[in-house]
Amino acid sequence: MIARACGAVALVVLGVNLWAATDAPVGVFYDDGIYAVLAKSLATGEGYRYLNLPGQPPAVKYPPVYPFLLSLVWRWGPRFPASVAWMKALNGVWMAGTAALLVLYLRRRLRLPVGYAVAVPVLTLVTVPVLAFSTLLFSEPLFLVLGLAALYVADRSPLSVGAAALAGVFAGAAFLTRSVGATLVLGVVFGAFLRGRRQGLAALSCAAAVSAPWVVWVALNASGLDPLLRGHYGTYLGWYLQAVAEAPATTLTAVVRENLRYSLAVAAPGAGALAQAAVLISLTLGAAWGAWQMRREVPALVAYLACYSG
């Protein structure tokens, strides 16, 4: 029954994504244009570079897995720009995989009834905000399917050493898709250590083995980027550390203030400051209570969400 439910939900999500895809050109939202440029760079054998910039500097900001998959379409699909439609269709496939994995996770890890496990993916993955990025050349859909795969494997009980290693591979691949995947690596590794020392070491070593080549390559090439371009094209960490070095008090204060302002606005958009604060505090306490209740059954998920929130 669960297999049929996964298949049905995946087909619905795939169909809606293919239906909702537009013929908008790449580059309208900036990142989608960069991904197309990087796909071309890989497909034409020019390395991993910003072909759109003078000197074609190394692309140290964008992890390579998603552009690499796009480059396969660029190389073997229709001639650009006709290939863009096929590139967008890949995101529909990733979203279908996300839907199937989400059904499995909700049913087998969180032990929700089948009806809930089916309803949640349908009611979330085919909404307008999600379709807004899943139908463009954005890497979020691929990150979602890899991240869910990592969490699904990492939250098995009991967790074998082999499963922990596989979770580490998925987490490392997610990090190579989006930089924020570093929080997923931390969550999966921490969750694996809670299951056992050998499991934790297996997850850590495999995630490090997958991630290390990219980290080393970035460290060796980040200095080749003009300082004036680092805000848009440099690494997030390097850009942030530069700001902290120049004005530590101002930077840290701005980070806290802006995150608080954003969190309040998301918690209760359009409401007054007092109402926003009350809602945010309630949501935070509710999330903390829920995480405490689930910490033993799904430690990787709880650890990941804590790292991501931080």
Side-chain angles (χ1 to χ4, degrees):
M1 182 177 181
I2 190 67
R4 290 197 298 271
C6 289
V9 172
L11 286 175
V12 168
V13 171
L14 175 61
V16 172
N17 271 267
L18 295 179
W19 168 79
T22 70
D23 58 355
V26 296
V28 175
F29 295 93
Y30 182 77
D31 278 3
D32 57 335
I34 297 297
Y35 283 128
V37 167
L38 296 179
K40 178 184 179 181
S41 180
L42 291 172
T44 55
E46 297 179 75
Y48 196 58
R49 297 180 174 277
Y50 297 119
L51 302 183
N52 57 312
L53 295 180
Q56 300 182 356
V60 295
K61 179 177 181 179
Y62 296 83
V65 167
Y66 185 62
F68 169 73
L69 293 175
L70 295 182
S71 75
L72 301 180
V73 180
W74 189 291
R75 182 174 299 181
W76 293 311
R79 194 174 191 84
F80 184 86
S83 58
V84 172
W86 292 90
M87 294 180 187
K88 291 180 179 180
L90 276 181
N91 275 2
V93 175
W94 311 139
M95 293 304 293
T98 298
L101 280 170
L102 189 53
V103 172
L104 287 175
Y105 193 92
L106 294 174
R107 177 61 180 155
R108 293 182 175 173
R109 300 294 181 258
L110 297 182
R111 299 175 186 173
L112 295 181
V114 175
Y116 284 99
V118 169
V120 169
V122 172
L123 294 176
T124 56
L125 298 182
V126 297
T127 56
V128 171
V130 176
L131 290 172
F133 67 76
S134 67
T135 55
L136 298 170
L137 290 191
F138 287 167
S139 60
E140 281 87 349
L142 181 59
F143 175 77
L144 282 174
V145 70
L146 291 172
L148 264 175
L151 293 172
Y152 180 73
V153 176
D155 279 332
R156 289 183 62 181
S157 183
L159 179 67
S160 65
V161 173
L166 180 60
V169 170
F170 280 130
F175 170 64
L176 294 184
T177 303
R178 290 187 62 79
S179 298
V180 75
T183 59
L184 179 69
V185 171
L186 292 174
V188 166
V189 169
F190 184 75
F193 268 111
L194 292 179
R195 301 288 193 183
R197 182 171 176 271
R198 293 176 60 200
Q199 288 88 334
L201 290 174
L204 175 60
S205 59
C206 287
V210 172
S211 307
W214 167 247
V215 174
V216 172
W217 186 84
V218 168
L220 293 175
N221 290 277
S223 60
L225 197 63
D226 190 291
L228 294 176
L229 298 175
R230 288 176 186 169
H232 282 298
Y233 297 99
T235 64
Y236 291 106
L237 183 60
W239 184 45
Y240 178 74
L241 292 179
Q242 180 182 350
V244 171
E246 293 174 357
T250 302
T251 300
L252 295 175
T253 301
V255 167
V256 173
R257 182 179 64 250
E258 288 303 308
N259 275 280
L260 181 60
R261 184 181 65 83
Y262 179 77
S263 299
L264 289 171
V266 170
L274 188 60
Q276 288 180 336
V279 173
L280 181 61
I281 292 172
S282 300
L283 290 174
T284 302
L285 293 176
W289 178 83
W292 181 258
Q293 296 298 315
M294 297 192 300
R295 70 190 187 282
R296 288 192 174 90
E297 294 203 4
V298 286
L301 174 64
V302 171
Y304 163 58
L305 292 177
C307 293
Y308 183 85
S309 300

